[in-house]
Amino acid sequence: MFRVSIFLVFILLLTNPIFSEEKETLSLETSKVFFSPNFDDVNDTMIFQIKYSGSRIPVDWKIHIADESGKIVKHFSADLRHKRKSGFYKYLFSNEKELEPVKVKIPEQVEWLGNDNFGKILSDGRYIYQMKISFLDKTEIKSKPIYIYLDSISPYARLSSDNRFFTPNNDKLLDQLTIKQDVNAEPTDRWSGAFLNEKGEVVRTFLWDTKTIPKILIWDGKDDRGILQDEGIYSYQLVGADFSQNQLTTKLDNIYLSRGSENVDIQANLTTFSPNGDRIKDTISFRPIYLEKNVANWEFVLFQKNGEKEENVKVFSGETIPDKIDWDGKNSNGKIVSDDTYFFRFKITAGSKTLKSPERKVVVDTTDKKIYF
């Protein structure tokens, strides 16, 4: 009787949690929720960290990735192929029926490229992942299913302005700069706008999300402190970013802030062009901006500078101002100019007044672009 009692106590002690095996757990974790498999080397992959604690020997493991409808679009699994018996002679004389089982190892992590089982990058959306491990006794353990987001499409924006010349002098004529912002992006994407001076220094900043970004942005020529800026050339830069680190940067150059009262300018549609006959940016167009009504004549000059000395390259003139002036890169002798930086200025005569635009520049670059793989 005494021996039976001791045996029962021993059984109770073994079944007590203090003496039981460590609890078996499995989790599949990621350090982020969003990723962007668009081959820009920024947040292109999703890494799954596998954490398993248990003493049982696994015979298989699988990771399933499904779309929102529940369809499995990608899976990872253990390599269950077998091998011949180890040892030179055993391997040499063993046949296909005499194979050794491969020991299944659970990796520490698995990297997903955002593709399906056929290698195609999946469409943007929400996906769910889960892992399970199988054992010899035909039981299995599963991780908690978790959602992640695949977002490979960058925000899109296009900037334009009918007039990049303004004179904020309170004369109610061209007092403000107006920029059109055409945006196509997710509602939660973030946007930052900035006006920069010729030195690249930021003078005015803006912050929005897609819901609040204005379609028309108006600048009065003042910085973030409300101080009117100096006369000169400025640029506007818009940067859009989403949670997957996709980013777009677009810029509007050659904005001229004038502190004078002469409301005359001429604007180019390109900052660089290449008159090399390949039908790509072979011609540049200039659009005159003016408010004077009684114009007697006009003159548009393209020139080079050597210190203070100016040398005319091409001169256009007339009485009626055209809507635009096209330049094919040829000088006054009909020859294509050499690659260099050129300057231009527009002048009109109205009555007793002679008005000149600010000096601008354009780059001629006819070199062939090469792509190396």
Side-chain angles (χ1 to χ4, degrees):
M1 185 68 180
F2 180 71
R3 290 180 179 179
V4 172
S5 299
I6 293 176
F7 178 74
L8 290 174
V9 170
F10 181 71
I11 293 297
L12 289 173
L13 289 173
L14 287 177
T15 56
N16 192 285
I18 299 176
F19 293 90
S20 63
E21 292 184 355
E22 181 184 359
K23 186 178 179 180
E24 192 175 46
T25 60
L26 173 63
S27 66
L28 191 61
E29 302 173 358
T30 60
S31 60
K32 56 192 177 185
V33 178
F34 292 86
F35 81 119
S36 170
N38 55 9
F39 310 108
D40 62 355
D41 291 331
V42 179
N43 198 24
D44 277 338
T45 65
M46 180 69 74
I47 296 179
F48 302 104
Q49 301 287 345
I50 302 171
K51 296 181 180 180
Y52 168 68
S53 63
S55 58
R56 292 194 292 170
I57 299 175
V59 294
D60 194 10
W61 63 264
K62 287 183 173 64
I63 296 175
H64 288 156
I65 301 171
D67 59 20
E68 288 197 271
S69 68
K71 178 184 176 182
I72 295 176
V73 293
K74 178 69 175 178
H75 70 267
F76 300 90
S77 60
D79 185 357
L80 300 181
R81 293 174 296 179
H82 288 65
K83 60 183 180 180
R84 293 175 181 269
K85 290 184 177 181
S86 60
F88 178 74
Y89 292 104
K90 290 182 179 179
Y91 178 84
L92 192 62
F93 296 105
S94 62
N95 55 40
E96 292 294 334
K97 295 181 180 180
E98 298 176 322
L99 302 174
E100 283 189 344
V102 174
K103 185 178 180 181
V104 173
K105 293 183 179 180
I106 300 174
E108 294 182 358
Q109 67 181 34
V110 171
E111 185 175 25
W112 182 36
L113 306 179
N115 56 344
D116 61 14
N117 288 324
F118 302 99
K120 182 182 178 181
I121 297 297
L122 292 163
S123 58
D124 286 7
R126 188 170 69 161
Y127 294 85
I128 187 170
Y129 65 86
Q130 187 177 24
M131 182 178 185
K132 68 178 181 180
I133 300 176
S134 304
F135 302 96
L136 279 173
D137 57 3
K138 297 184 179 181
T139 61
E140 60 184 24
I141 183 173
K142 294 182 179 180
S143 67
K144 181 181 177 181
I146 299 178
Y147 283 102
I148 54 175
Y149 296 84
L150 189 155
D151 180 11
S152 60
I153 300 176
S154 299
Y156 168 81
R158 185 173 66 90
L159 302 175
S160 62
S161 179
D162 294 333
N163 182 18
R164 284 175 279 173
F165 172 85
F166 71 121
T167 57
N169 52 15
N170 296 320
D171 64 356
K172 297 182 180 180
L173 297 173
L174 302 177
D175 277 336
Q176 296 175 324
L177 175 74
T178 301
I179 297 176
K180 298 176 183 177
Q181 302 186 125
D182 182 17
V183 170
N184 184 8
E186 295 293 327
T188 56
D189 290 352
R190 297 150 294 175
W191 299 89
S192 61
F195 284 98
L196 300 89
N197 60 23
E198 289 185 80
K199 298 178 181 179
E201 300 168 337
V202 176
V203 297
R204 183 78 170 92
T205 56
F206 306 89
L207 289 174
W208 310 283
D209 58 24
T210 304
K211 295 178 181 178
T212 59
I213 186 170
K215 292 183 178 180
I216 302 295
L217 175 66
I218 296 176
W219 186 39
D220 57 4
K222 297 178 181 179
D223 64 8
D224 288 326
R225 301 167 295 173
I227 299 174
L228 183 62
Q229 295 301 287
D230 295 332
E231 183 171 310
I233 297 175
Y234 292 80
S235 61
Y236 174 68
Q237 179 175 280
L238 180 65
V239 179
D242 59 23
F243 288 105
S244 300
Q245 300 179 35
N246 294 310
Q247 184 168 298
L248 165 86
T249 301
T250 184
K251 203 172 184 181
L252 191 67
D253 292 312
N254 283 330
I255 298 168
Y256 198 92
L257 187 158
S258 174
R259 296 287 290 269
S261 58
E262 298 180 349
N263 297 312
V264 174
D265 189 36
I266 189 160
Q267 299 172 358
N269 66 331
L270 300 171
T271 56
T272 301
F273 83 116
S274 56
N276 55 7
D278 63 357
R279 298 183 181 181
I280 301 174
K281 295 184 179 181
D282 279 339
T283 304
I284 186 170
S285 296
F286 302 90
R287 187 169 68 91
I289 305 294
Y290 61 99
L291 298 177
E292 296 293 331
K293 295 182 179 180
N294 300 316
V295 177
N297 55 69
W298 62 273
E299 184 182 70
F300 174 57
V301 180
L302 288 144
F303 58 95
Q304 285 185 299
K305 292 176 65 175
N306 184 6
E308 297 296 326
K309 184 181 178 181
E310 297 181 2
E311 181 181 353
N312 290 351
V313 174
K314 183 77 173 181
V315 179
F316 300 84
S317 61
E319 294 180 356
T320 302
I321 301 177
D323 293 333
K324 67 174 183 174
I325 303 168
D326 294 330
W327 184 39
D328 56 6
K330 295 179 181 179
N331 60 20
S332 300
N333 298 322
K335 295 182 179 180
I336 298 294
V337 299
S338 58
D339 289 3
D340 205 341
T341 299
Y342 295 84
F343 299 84
F344 57 91
R345 188 188 298 114
F346 182 63
K347 181 176 69 173
I348 64 174
T349 302
S352 60
K353 295 188 297 184
T354 299
L355 306 177
K356 294 182 180 180
S357 71
E359 181 183 292
R360 302 289 187 89
K361 61 183 178 181
V362 62
V363 175
V364 174
D365 182 7
T366 59
T367 55
D368 292 331
K369 304 299 184 292
K370 296 182 179 180
I371 300 175
Y372 297 94
F373 292 92

